[in-house]
Amino acid sequence: MALAHAILATLLDSSQSGYDLRKCFEGSVGFFWQASFQQIYRELGKLEEQGLVQSEAIAQQGRPDKKVFAVTAEGEAFLQAWIRTPCEMAPIRDDLLVKMFAGFLVPKVEMLAELKEHRSLHQERLAIYQQIQRNAYANPENLSEKELFHYLTLCGGIQYEQGWLNWCEEAISILTKSSASSVSPQ
Amino acid sequence: MALAHAILATLLDSSQSGYDLRKCFEGSVGFFWQASFQQIYRELGKLEEQGLVQSEAIAQQGRPDKKVFAVTAEGEAFLQAWIRTPCEMAPIRDDLLVKMFAGFLVPKVEMLAELKEHRSLHQERLAIYQQIQRNAYANPENLSEKELFHYLTLCGGIQYEQGWLNWCEEAISILTKSSASSVSPQ
DNA sequence: ACTATATATTCAACTAATTGATTATGTCAA
DNA sequence: TTGACATAATCAATTAGTTGAATATATAGT
């Protein structure tokens, strides 16, 4: 279970509200973890109970009040201890691959359409990550400790998307060739 | 929720017991889905209730009896319908990337050790997949419909592992360079 | 005035996944 | 003959994740 740790790691970068965290998780932090706001609020509650984060109510003009969460010393120690314990490889659980495994059940054109859709989704995502790379990490040699690790995380997201993109291209190419020479089932 | 669909797709390939399914999920089918045997048995129970699979008790000599599950016509239609509905990209949730994001909390040598461990894990996995590729799919041009789709799934696993491997190499290289010139904390 | 969007949080119900144990039978090796 | 391992299945408890809704305030556009 790493949602708690992902939240701590994000808050360590900058203290913020659950709402802002959620935006991080669908934005820049999304290349290593994703979570809904219900999950985030629930987890923040638990973390506060355990004393790993603490909140401060901030009154705002023209907007609802917000609770800004910050990592405590215990929270940092907890995160550090977790980082030091070895972890397993993340298991693959991908709907599109399951579909592909039984793809002979539908006409090839339909599988091709889904593959092309995913290709463009991964292309978009990759383009976003590469833009972050160009804008924020123009010369990786001169980064601070913290920035360097954030940069490595971004690189992970890029490799991941690149991998999927390669596969989409490969699968489209193979399926296109084979459907040119044979008739698809219904 | 694609566990049910992953089970149906696997059973469609060959009818088998929950125990055998579990072995598939940690073996060759593992490049698109992973599940524990508790999950599999529970899901098989549900699928049987819904009439999507049916079981036959097989008495064995020298071993406990087993229940072999087969996909019904309804099960196949159900799977086909699911394949035809578009799906989203799989979200990334990777412990190692979370660790990396807050990697500045521990000495670089420790992060490097973890990265090297994961590099070898991904290398091993990739080697297994590539061996399957060489053994079972020596010339992808002459595959049957079904085999072709299974082959594409394998390609997905290969690209995935290759992507992580690339990242491990990249991260190790960058961290090694930077730790040569600076002292680690802690 | 009405609608949509954005900020900010929470509740309730449900489904999925993990962890750990339990119950059988049989084989093989020390 | 004891222990380790493989086959085969299930139960109970807990944790994690999803879905859908509700509440409240403010801004911008039609």
Side-chain angles (χ1 to χ4, degrees):
Chain A
M1 201 286 295
L3 173 58
H5 306 98
I7 287 175
L8 287 172
T10 312
L11 287 180
L12 210 57
D13 190 38
S14 74
S15 297
Q16 54 193 313
S17 68
Y19 189 85
D20 294 328
L21 265 174
R22 161 65 190 158
K23 280 193 295 180
C24 278
F25 274 87
E26 67 179 351
S28 64
V29 172
F31 43 76
F32 66 82
W33 208 268
Q34 291 181 15
S36 66
F37 53 96
Q38 292 93 334
Q39 254 180 292
I40 291 166
Y41 282 116
R42 181 155 34 79
E43 205 62 43
L44 280 171
K46 280 192 222 166
L47 287 170
E48 193 165 24
E49 261 180 47
Q50 296 171 269
L52 304 177
V53 300
Q54 60 186 36
S55 64
E56 196 191 348
I58 305 281
Q60 295 182 113
Q61 68 285 44
R63 278 180 195 176
D65 294 0
K66 67 176 173 181
K67 264 161 79 182
V68 170
F69 290 85
V71 180
T72 62
E74 296 80 51
E76 192 174 313
F78 174 81
L79 183 60
Q80 191 192 46
W82 176 75
I83 292 173
R84 283 180 150 162
T85 62
C87 62
E88 314 234 303
M89 286 193 291
I92 311 181
R93 281 200 185 120
D94 191 280
D95 284 14
L96 189 55
L97 287 178
V98 178
K99 289 186 177 191
M100 208 48 60
F101 195 78
F104 54 87
L105 292 178
V106 308
K108 275 181 188 160
V109 281
E110 290 191 31
M111 295 312 288
L112 276 167
E114 181 83 332
L115 278 168
K116 284 171 186 169
E117 171 62 18
H118 277 255
R119 175 177 60 180
S120 76
L121 288 172
H122 287 296
Q123 260 164 349
E124 272 174 47
R125 191 66 71 90
L126 183 60
I128 292 168
Y129 292 171
Q130 286 173 335
Q131 189 154 48
I132 297 173
Q133 192 177 35
R134 278 192 303 272
N135 293 347
Y137 305 99
N139 46 348
E141 286 75 25
N142 305 334
L143 296 173
S144 71
E145 273 276 279
K146 203 174 184 177
E147 285 169 333
L148 182 70
F149 282 104
H150 289 186
Y151 174 66
L152 289 177
T153 313
L154 175 63
C155 291
I158 288 173
Q159 286 290 351
Y160 178 86
E161 293 302 333
Q162 189 67 63
W164 281 111
L165 196 52
N166 289 346
W167 177 68
C168 287
E169 297 287 8
E170 188 179 16
I172 289 166
S173 154
I174 291 174
L175 270 188
T176 303
K177 270 181 219 157
S178 91
S179 62
S181 55
S182 71
V183 177
S184 294
Q186 160 54 4
Chain B
M1 204 284 296
L3 173 57
H5 306 98
I7 288 175
L8 287 171
T10 310
L11 288 179
L12 209 59
D13 191 39
S14 75
S15 297
Q16 55 194 311
S17 68
Y19 189 85
D20 294 329
L21 265 174
R22 162 65 190 158
K23 279 194 294 182
C24 277
F25 275 90
E26 65 178 353
S28 64
V29 174
F31 43 77
F32 67 83
W33 208 267
Q34 293 181 14
S36 65
F37 53 96
Q38 293 92 336
Q39 256 181 292
I40 290 167
Y41 283 118
R42 183 158 29 79
E43 206 62 41
L44 280 171
K46 279 193 223 168
L47 286 170
E48 193 165 26
E49 260 181 47
Q50 295 170 270
L52 303 178
V53 301
Q54 60 185 38
S55 65
E56 196 191 349
I58 305 280
Q60 297 182 114
Q61 69 283 44
R63 279 180 196 176
D65 295 0
K66 66 176 173 181
K67 264 161 78 181
V68 170
F69 290 86
V71 180
T72 62
E74 296 80 51
E76 192 174 314
F78 175 81
L79 184 60
Q80 192 191 47
W82 176 74
I83 293 173
R84 281 179 152 164
T85 60
C87 62
E88 314 232 303
M89 287 193 290
I92 312 180
R93 282 202 184 120
D94 192 278
D95 283 14
L96 189 55
L97 286 178
V98 177
K99 288 185 179 194
M100 208 47 61
F101 196 76
F104 53 86
L105 292 178
V106 307
K108 274 178 189 161
V109 280
E110 289 190 31
M111 295 312 288
L112 276 167
E114 181 84 332
L115 279 167
K116 284 172 187 169
E117 171 62 18
H118 277 254
R119 175 177 60 181
S120 76
L121 289 171
H122 288 296
Q123 259 164 350
E124 272 173 47
R125 190 67 69 88
L126 182 61
I128 292 167
Y129 292 170
Q130 285 172 336
Q131 189 154 48
I132 297 172
Q133 192 177 35
R134 277 192 304 272
N135 294 346
Y137 306 99
N139 45 348
E141 286 76 25
N142 305 335
L143 296 174
S144 71
E145 273 276 279
K146 203 174 183 176
E147 286 169 332
L148 182 70
F149 281 104
H150 288 186
Y151 175 65
L152 290 177
T153 314
L154 175 63
C155 291
I158 289 173
Q159 286 291 350
Y160 178 86
E161 293 302 333
Q162 189 67 63
W164 281 111
L165 197 51
N166 289 345
W167 177 69
C168 286
E169 298 286 7
E170 188 179 14
I172 288 167
S173 152
I174 291 175
L175 270 189
T176 303
K177 270 181 219 157
S178 90
S179 62
S181 57
S182 71
V183 177
S184 296
Q186 169 63 345

mmCIF file of all heavy atoms in Angstrom, chain A residues 96-122:
data_model
loop_
_atom_site.group_PDB
_atom_site.id
_atom_site.type_symbol
_atom_site.label_atom_id
_atom_site.label_comp_id
_atom_site.label_asym_id
_atom_site.label_seq_id
_atom_site.Cartn_x
_atom_site.Cartn_y
_atom_site.Cartn_z
ATOM 1 N N LEU A 96 -6.305 -3.473 -21.718
ATOM 2 C CA LEU A 96 -6.104 -3.573 -23.164
ATOM 3 C C LEU A 96 -5.391 -4.877 -23.530
ATOM 4 O O LEU A 96 -5.696 -5.491 -24.569
ATOM 5 C CB LEU A 96 -5.319 -2.359 -23.666
ATOM 6 C CG LEU A 96 -5.207 -2.201 -25.181
ATOM 7 C CD1 LEU A 96 -6.590 -2.182 -25.833
ATOM 8 C CD2 LEU A 96 -4.437 -0.944 -25.547
ATOM 9 N N LEU A 97 -4.468 -5.310 -22.686
ATOM 10 C CA LEU A 97 -3.768 -6.571 -22.955
ATOM 11 C C LEU A 97 -4.704 -7.770 -22.790
ATOM 12 O O LEU A 97 -4.620 -8.742 -23.546
ATOM 13 C CB LEU A 97 -2.541 -6.720 -22.046
ATOM 14 C CG LEU A 97 -1.337 -5.841 -22.378
ATOM 15 C CD1 LEU A 97 -0.211 -6.055 -21.382
ATOM 16 C CD2 LEU A 97 -0.829 -6.114 -23.791
ATOM 17 N N VAL A 98 -5.600 -7.687 -21.817
ATOM 18 C CA VAL A 98 -6.595 -8.756 -21.654
ATOM 19 C C VAL A 98 -7.463 -8.843 -22.909
ATOM 20 O O VAL A 98 -7.713 -9.917 -23.453
ATOM 21 C CB VAL A 98 -7.495 -8.508 -20.415
ATOM 22 C CG1 VAL A 98 -8.549 -9.596 -20.298
ATOM 23 C CG2 VAL A 98 -6.670 -8.445 -19.146
ATOM 24 N N LYS A 99 -7.884 -7.686 -23.373
ATOM 25 C CA LYS A 99 -8.697 -7.636 -24.590
ATOM 26 C C LYS A 99 -7.953 -8.253 -25.769
ATOM 27 O O LYS A 99 -8.512 -9.006 -26.564
ATOM 28 C CB LYS A 99 -9.047 -6.195 -24.943
ATOM 29 C CG LYS A 99 -10.041 -5.576 -24.016
ATOM 30 C CD LYS A 99 -10.433 -4.213 -24.532
ATOM 31 C CE LYS A 99 -11.491 -3.604 -23.632
ATOM 32 N NZ LYS A 99 -12.082 -2.396 -24.227
ATOM 33 N N MET A 100 -6.688 -7.895 -25.850
ATOM 34 C CA MET A 100 -5.879 -8.374 -26.967
ATOM 35 C C MET A 100 -5.766 -9.897 -26.924
ATOM 36 O O MET A 100 -5.809 -10.558 -27.950
ATOM 37 C CB MET A 100 -4.486 -7.736 -26.845
ATOM 38 C CG MET A 100 -3.719 -7.544 -28.113
ATOM 39 S SD MET A 100 -4.626 -6.792 -29.477
ATOM 40 C CE MET A 100 -5.092 -5.219 -28.781
ATOM 41 N N PHE A 101 -5.663 -10.442 -25.715
ATOM 42 C CA PHE A 101 -5.499 -11.890 -25.555
ATOM 43 C C PHE A 101 -6.682 -12.654 -26.141
ATOM 44 O O PHE A 101 -6.527 -13.768 -26.646
ATOM 45 C CB PHE A 101 -5.335 -12.229 -24.067
ATOM 46 C CG PHE A 101 -4.798 -13.614 -23.801
ATOM 47 C CD1 PHE A 101 -3.448 -13.881 -23.949
ATOM 48 C CD2 PHE A 101 -5.634 -14.645 -23.390
ATOM 49 C CE1 PHE A 101 -2.935 -15.153 -23.695
ATOM 50 C CE2 PHE A 101 -5.130 -15.926 -23.135
ATOM 51 C CZ PHE A 101 -3.782 -16.170 -23.291
ATOM 52 N N ALA A 102 -7.870 -12.038 -26.075
ATOM 53 C CA ALA A 102 -9.061 -12.676 -26.649
ATOM 54 C C ALA A 102 -9.560 -11.877 -27.850
ATOM 55 O O ALA A 102 -10.744 -11.893 -28.185
ATOM 56 C CB ALA A 102 -10.151 -12.816 -25.587
ATOM 57 N N GLY A 103 -8.642 -11.180 -28.503
ATOM 58 C CA GLY A 103 -9.001 -10.262 -29.593
ATOM 59 C C GLY A 103 -9.596 -10.945 -30.814
ATOM 60 O O GLY A 103 -10.267 -10.303 -31.629
ATOM 61 N N PHE A 104 -9.358 -12.258 -30.932
ATOM 62 C CA PHE A 104 -9.914 -13.010 -32.062
ATOM 63 C C PHE A 104 -11.441 -13.111 -31.996
ATOM 64 O O PHE A 104 -12.060 -13.551 -32.958
ATOM 65 C CB PHE A 104 -9.288 -14.405 -32.121
ATOM 66 C CG PHE A 104 -9.414 -15.175 -30.835
ATOM 67 C CD1 PHE A 104 -10.542 -15.945 -30.581
ATOM 68 C CD2 PHE A 104 -8.411 -15.115 -29.879
ATOM 69 C CE1 PHE A 104 -10.666 -16.652 -29.391
ATOM 70 C CE2 PHE A 104 -8.532 -15.822 -28.674
ATOM 71 C CZ PHE A 104 -9.662 -16.583 -28.440
ATOM 72 N N LEU A 105 -12.027 -12.678 -30.883
ATOM 73 C CA LEU A 105 -13.493 -12.734 -30.747
ATOM 74 C C LEU A 105 -14.202 -11.615 -31.497
ATOM 75 O O LEU A 105 -15.411 -11.671 -31.699
ATOM 76 C CB LEU A 105 -13.903 -12.684 -29.270
ATOM 77 C CG LEU A 105 -13.558 -13.895 -28.396
ATOM 78 C CD1 LEU A 105 -14.000 -13.649 -26.961
ATOM 79 C CD2 LEU A 105 -14.221 -15.161 -28.936
ATOM 80 N N VAL A 106 -13.461 -10.577 -31.876
ATOM 81 C CA VAL A 106 -14.096 -9.457 -32.587
ATOM 82 C C VAL A 106 -13.325 -9.164 -33.875
ATOM 83 O O VAL A 106 -12.157 -9.553 -34.004
ATOM 84 C CB VAL A 106 -14.175 -8.179 -31.706
ATOM 85 C CG1 VAL A 106 -14.814 -8.467 -30.356
ATOM 86 C CG2 VAL A 106 -12.819 -7.551 -31.529
ATOM 87 N N PRO A 107 -13.971 -8.469 -34.831
ATOM 88 C CA PRO A 107 -13.271 -8.148 -36.082
ATOM 89 C C PRO A 107 -12.003 -7.339 -35.825
ATOM 90 O O PRO A 107 -11.954 -6.509 -34.926
ATOM 91 C CB PRO A 107 -14.290 -7.312 -36.846
ATOM 92 C CG PRO A 107 -15.600 -7.685 -36.279
ATOM 93 C CD PRO A 107 -15.363 -7.994 -34.840
ATOM 94 N N LYS A 108 -11.001 -7.587 -36.659
ATOM 95 C CA LYS A 108 -9.706 -6.933 -36.461
ATOM 96 C C LYS A 108 -9.795 -5.413 -36.530
ATOM 97 O O LYS A 108 -9.072 -4.722 -35.819
ATOM 98 C CB LYS A 108 -8.709 -7.433 -37.503
ATOM 99 C CG LYS A 108 -8.028 -8.717 -37.069
ATOM 100 C CD LYS A 108 -7.044 -9.179 -38.106
ATOM 101 C CE LYS A 108 -6.514 -10.553 -37.758
ATOM 102 N NZ LYS A 108 -5.945 -11.225 -38.925
ATOM 103 N N VAL A 109 -10.683 -4.912 -37.380
ATOM 104 C CA VAL A 109 -10.801 -3.450 -37.490
ATOM 105 C C VAL A 109 -11.166 -2.825 -36.149
ATOM 106 O O VAL A 109 -10.736 -1.715 -35.838
ATOM 107 C CB VAL A 109 -11.841 -3.017 -38.557
ATOM 108 C CG1 VAL A 109 -11.248 -3.112 -39.942
ATOM 109 C CG2 VAL A 109 -13.134 -3.807 -38.447
ATOM 110 N N GLU A 110 -11.962 -3.558 -35.358
ATOM 111 C CA GLU A 110 -12.347 -3.015 -34.053
ATOM 112 C C GLU A 110 -11.159 -2.990 -33.100
ATOM 113 O O GLU A 110 -10.967 -2.034 -32.342
ATOM 114 C CB GLU A 110 -13.492 -3.832 -33.434
ATOM 115 C CG GLU A 110 -14.800 -3.634 -34.182
ATOM 116 C CD GLU A 110 -16.006 -4.227 -33.437
ATOM 117 O OE1 GLU A 110 -16.009 -4.258 -32.199
ATOM 118 O OE2 GLU A 110 -16.947 -4.661 -34.121
ATOM 119 N N MET A 111 -10.361 -4.038 -33.129
ATOM 120 C CA MET A 111 -9.166 -4.057 -32.289
ATOM 121 C C MET A 111 -8.207 -2.959 -32.734
ATOM 122 O O MET A 111 -7.587 -2.288 -31.914
ATOM 123 C CB MET A 111 -8.464 -5.414 -32.366
ATOM 124 C CG MET A 111 -9.258 -6.581 -31.797
ATOM 125 S SD MET A 111 -9.979 -6.289 -30.169
ATOM 126 C CE MET A 111 -8.524 -6.338 -29.133
ATOM 127 N N LEU A 112 -8.105 -2.773 -34.045
ATOM 128 C CA LEU A 112 -7.219 -1.730 -34.577
ATOM 129 C C LEU A 112 -7.678 -0.346 -34.122
ATOM 130 O O LEU A 112 -6.854 0.504 -33.775
ATOM 131 C CB LEU A 112 -7.180 -1.812 -36.106
ATOM 132 C CG LEU A 112 -6.186 -2.836 -36.658
ATOM 133 C CD1 LEU A 112 -6.436 -3.085 -38.139
ATOM 134 C CD2 LEU A 112 -4.752 -2.363 -36.440
ATOM 135 N N ALA A 113 -8.979 -0.141 -34.110
ATOM 136 C CA ALA A 113 -9.502 1.169 -33.702
ATOM 137 C C ALA A 113 -9.143 1.449 -32.243
ATOM 138 O O ALA A 113 -8.695 2.556 -31.904
ATOM 139 C CB ALA A 113 -11.018 1.207 -33.890
ATOM 140 N N GLU A 114 -9.326 0.436 -31.411
ATOM 141 C CA GLU A 114 -8.996 0.602 -29.989
ATOM 142 C C GLU A 114 -7.492 0.856 -29.805
ATOM 143 O O GLU A 114 -7.083 1.720 -29.030
ATOM 144 C CB GLU A 114 -9.431 -0.666 -29.222
ATOM 145 C CG GLU A 114 -9.183 -0.634 -27.736
ATOM 146 C CD GLU A 114 -10.257 0.078 -26.928
ATOM 147 O OE1 GLU A 114 -10.928 0.992 -27.477
ATOM 148 O OE2 GLU A 114 -10.430 -0.263 -25.739
ATOM 149 N N LEU A 115 -6.689 0.125 -30.563
ATOM 150 C CA LEU A 115 -5.244 0.317 -30.481
ATOM 151 C C LEU A 115 -4.841 1.726 -30.904
ATOM 152 O O LEU A 115 -3.981 2.351 -30.299
ATOM 153 C CB LEU A 115 -4.529 -0.707 -31.371
ATOM 154 C CG LEU A 115 -4.328 -2.091 -30.779
ATOM 155 C CD1 LEU A 115 -3.889 -3.077 -31.851
ATOM 156 C CD2 LEU A 115 -3.292 -2.054 -29.646
ATOM 157 N N LYS A 116 -5.488 2.223 -31.961
ATOM 158 C CA LYS A 116 -5.147 3.569 -32.442
ATOM 159 C C LYS A 116 -5.560 4.631 -31.441
ATOM 160 O O LYS A 116 -4.854 5.626 -31.260
ATOM 161 C CB LYS A 116 -5.803 3.815 -33.810
ATOM 162 C CG LYS A 116 -5.079 3.091 -34.930
ATOM 163 C CD LYS A 116 -5.839 3.159 -36.246
ATOM 164 C CE LYS A 116 -5.121 2.275 -37.286
ATOM 165 N NZ LYS A 116 -5.938 2.083 -38.513
ATOM 166 N N GLU A 117 -6.686 4.398 -30.786
ATOM 167 C CA GLU A 117 -7.129 5.319 -29.740
ATOM 168 C C GLU A 117 -6.091 5.363 -28.611
ATOM 169 O O GLU A 117 -5.693 6.437 -28.164
ATOM 170 C CB GLU A 117 -8.497 4.860 -29.204
ATOM 171 C CG GLU A 117 -8.997 5.582 -27.968
ATOM 172 C CD GLU A 117 -9.220 7.071 -28.177
ATOM 173 O OE1 GLU A 117 -9.311 7.514 -29.352
ATOM 174 O OE2 GLU A 117 -9.286 7.796 -27.164
ATOM 175 N N HIS A 118 -5.646 4.190 -28.200
ATOM 176 C CA HIS A 118 -4.659 4.139 -27.121
ATOM 177 C C HIS A 118 -3.320 4.719 -27.553
ATOM 178 O O HIS A 118 -2.635 5.353 -26.762
ATOM 179 C CB HIS A 118 -4.502 2.703 -26.596
ATOM 180 C CG HIS A 118 -5.543 2.346 -25.587
ATOM 181 N ND1 HIS A 118 -5.295 2.258 -24.253
ATOM 182 C CD2 HIS A 118 -6.873 2.112 -25.744
ATOM 183 C CE1 HIS A 118 -6.419 1.965 -23.615
ATOM 184 N NE2 HIS A 118 -7.394 1.854 -24.494
ATOM 185 N N ARG A 119 -2.972 4.501 -28.817
ATOM 186 C CA ARG A 119 -1.739 5.103 -29.322
ATOM 187 C C ARG A 119 -1.775 6.612 -29.164
ATOM 188 O O ARG A 119 -0.814 7.222 -28.682
ATOM 189 C CB ARG A 119 -1.539 4.736 -30.804
ATOM 190 C CG ARG A 119 -0.332 5.422 -31.418
ATOM 191 C CD ARG A 119 -0.090 4.996 -32.848
ATOM 192 N NE ARG A 119 -1.226 5.293 -33.716
ATOM 193 C CZ ARG A 119 -1.281 5.024 -35.006
ATOM 194 N NH1 ARG A 119 -0.241 4.438 -35.587
ATOM 195 N NH2 ARG A 119 -2.334 5.314 -35.723
ATOM 196 N N SER A 120 -2.908 7.213 -29.511
ATOM 197 C CA SER A 120 -2.949 8.670 -29.425
ATOM 198 C C SER A 120 -3.016 9.139 -27.975
ATOM 199 O O SER A 120 -2.444 10.176 -27.628
ATOM 200 C CB SER A 120 -4.096 9.239 -30.266
ATOM 201 O OG SER A 120 -5.320 9.047 -29.637
ATOM 202 N N LEU A 121 -3.663 8.353 -27.108
ATOM 203 C CA LEU A 121 -3.669 8.708 -25.682
ATOM 204 C C LEU A 121 -2.251 8.700 -25.113
ATOM 205 O O LEU A 121 -1.842 9.613 -24.389
ATOM 206 C CB LEU A 121 -4.536 7.722 -24.884
ATOM 207 C CG LEU A 121 -6.053 7.819 -25.073
ATOM 208 C CD1 LEU A 121 -6.756 6.652 -24.378
ATOM 209 C CD2 LEU A 121 -6.589 9.142 -24.570
ATOM 210 N N HIS A 122 -1.492 7.657 -25.467
ATOM 211 C CA HIS A 122 -0.117 7.568 -24.952
ATOM 212 C C HIS A 122 0.779 8.637 -25.575
ATOM 213 O O HIS A 122 1.668 9.166 -24.907
ATOM 214 C CB HIS A 122 0.452 6.168 -25.209
ATOM 215 C CG HIS A 122 -0.140 5.121 -24.322
ATOM 216 N ND1 HIS A 122 0.023 5.133 -22.952
ATOM 217 C CD2 HIS A 122 -0.917 4.039 -24.580
ATOM 218 C CE1 HIS A 122 -0.629 4.105 -22.417
ATOM 219 N NE2 HIS A 122 -1.201 3.417 -23.386
#
